[in-house]
Amino acid sequence: MQYHVDGELVPASEATVNVRDRGFMYGDGAFETMRVYGGTIFEWSAHADRLQRSCEQLGFADALPPAADLHARIQETLAANDLTEAYTKLSITRGVQPGKLSPDPDVDPTIVVYISELPRGGTDGERVWSGPAALATVDSRQTPDSVLPADAKTHNYLDSILARLELRGSEADEAIVRSVDGALTEGASSNLFFVDDGTVHTPADSLPLLPGITRNVVLELADAAGIETVTGVYEPDRLVDADEVFVTNSTWEIRPVTSVDGRAYEVGPVTRTLQQRFDDRVEKLYD
Ligand code: PLP
């Protein structure tokens, strides 16, 4: 494999960052995880916009190269590895700086494109997950927005990692995380949806959560399918009477949930309709 590091394609074994890189030392960086279908980066503009917003929150957006340049780096990495179906991660950090914690205004960012093969999605594609998700509500809470901006996708993933650690030894493979006030927010690496009486609900982005690119696509697809969508502030017990539950992210796409804290759920018609619409949208990239 070859990865893209600071403008150069390098063999994976030589793809390294400086031990003084602030992304490594402090989590002082932002990233995007994306799917590539048929050589096209799915929802590139939305990912590029979110990366821009994340870098703005971290105060080094000026150092971010234009989106077309970043896009070209990913395309070069795909071509170098002869891949059209892939998972790719684009990271940008504040790089190496003189001094210690205080960020220097002069930023020479470290920019890395990591890539790996991932079979195509779409109508004839394979799911990346081997089965529906089992969720468990964890005790660790989402970092409040007043502490760290939840809508920035930064290298600081400790709250999600702590949430996943709580799943150890259980059957669950995704955590349900709550705000400090106890409202449902999201999964450790996914957005949470439930269906009640035919209406699709998901926690509102006024809560501390990462507004996923897939979440947005799902809300659009539901609108187009005439399925009512509501974003709100929900207590965990709203899930008890839900008819269907699913989680979304760029890698999983729409992943049905068949268990929440040991309660069983069916993979229902609304989830299936949205999966079909999502697959159709992916399929269009191959036309
Ligand atoms: N929420 C969190 C905490 C995530 O880490 C992710 C993705 O990794 C998501 C939501 C879903 O985001 P997206 O659909 O953009 O992949």
Side-chain angles (χ1 to χ4, degrees), residues 31-34 47 50 142 150 153 157 159-160 174 186-192 209-216 248-253:
F31 74 103
E32 284 297 317
T33 298
M34 293 158 276
H47 282 286
R50 187 170 65 185
Q142 189 99 21
K153 194 168 166 74
Y157 251 62
D159 52 5
S160 291
E174 177 59 310
E186 59 181 342
S189 74
S190 58
N191 289 114
L192 176 69
L209 56 84
L210 183 76
I213 307 300
T214 322
R215 172 183 181 274
N216 237 0
T248 64
N249 68 26
S250 298
T251 316
W252 290 341
E253 303 169 340

Side-chain angles (χ1 to χ4, degrees), residues 31 104 240 282:
F31 74 103
D104 192 286
V240 173
V282 168

Side-chain angles (χ1 to χ4, degrees), residues 93-287:
T93 78
R94 206 185 305 266
V96 174
Q97 294 200 327
K100 299 227 162 88
L101 190 63
S102 296
D104 192 286
D106 193 12
V107 179
D108 179 13
T110 299
I111 302 176
V112 173
V113 178
Y114 165 85
I115 212 159
S116 68
E117 187 168 19
L118 198 61
R120 70 178 283 187
T123 315
D124 303 320
E126 295 170 38
R127 304 286 177 202
V128 299
W129 27 270
S130 53
L135 307 189
T137 308
V138 294
D139 289 333
S140 57
R141 300 300 172 100
Q142 189 99 21
T143 309
D145 245 345
S146 53
V147 179
L148 278 179
D151 59 344
K153 194 168 166 74
T154 73
H155 279 207
N156 190 320
Y157 251 62
L158 283 179
D159 52 5
S160 291
I161 291 168
L162 293 175
R164 283 276 172 84
L165 271 179
E166 286 191 50
L167 303 183
R168 275 200 180 157
S170 79
E171 299 284 299
D173 57 3
E174 177 59 310
I176 297 181
V177 183
R178 291 164 292 164
S179 67
V180 286
D181 300 328
L184 294 171
T185 56
E186 59 181 342
S189 74
S190 58
N191 289 114
L192 176 69
F193 288 81
F194 64 93
V195 181
D196 198 359
D197 237 353
T199 298
V200 171
H201 296 264
T202 193
D205 56 18
S206 54
L207 288 157
L209 56 84
L210 183 76
I213 307 300
T214 322
R215 172 183 181 274
N216 237 0
V217 170
V218 166
L219 291 172
E220 276 172 31
L221 293 175
D223 275 350
I227 298 168
E228 194 187 345
T229 60
V230 176
T231 63
V233 178
Y234 305 106
E235 296 299 313
D237 61 8
R238 272 307 294 273
L239 292 178
V240 173
D241 297 323
D243 303 315
E244 304 174 35
V245 182
F246 60 90
V247 285
T248 64
N249 68 26
S250 298
T251 316
W252 290 341
E253 303 169 340
I254 299 172
R255 186 175 179 198
V257 170
T258 48
S259 151
V260 177
D261 296 329
R263 272 188 317 277
Y265 294 82
E266 297 289 320
V267 182
V270 175
T271 307
R272 287 190 203 287
T273 300
L274 291 170
Q275 281 181 311
Q276 182 61 54
R277 297 241 169 184
F278 193 96
D279 290 349
D280 291 344
R281 179 132 165 193
V282 168
E283 205 63 30
K284 286 210 183 85
L285 301 176
Y286 294 85
D287 290 346

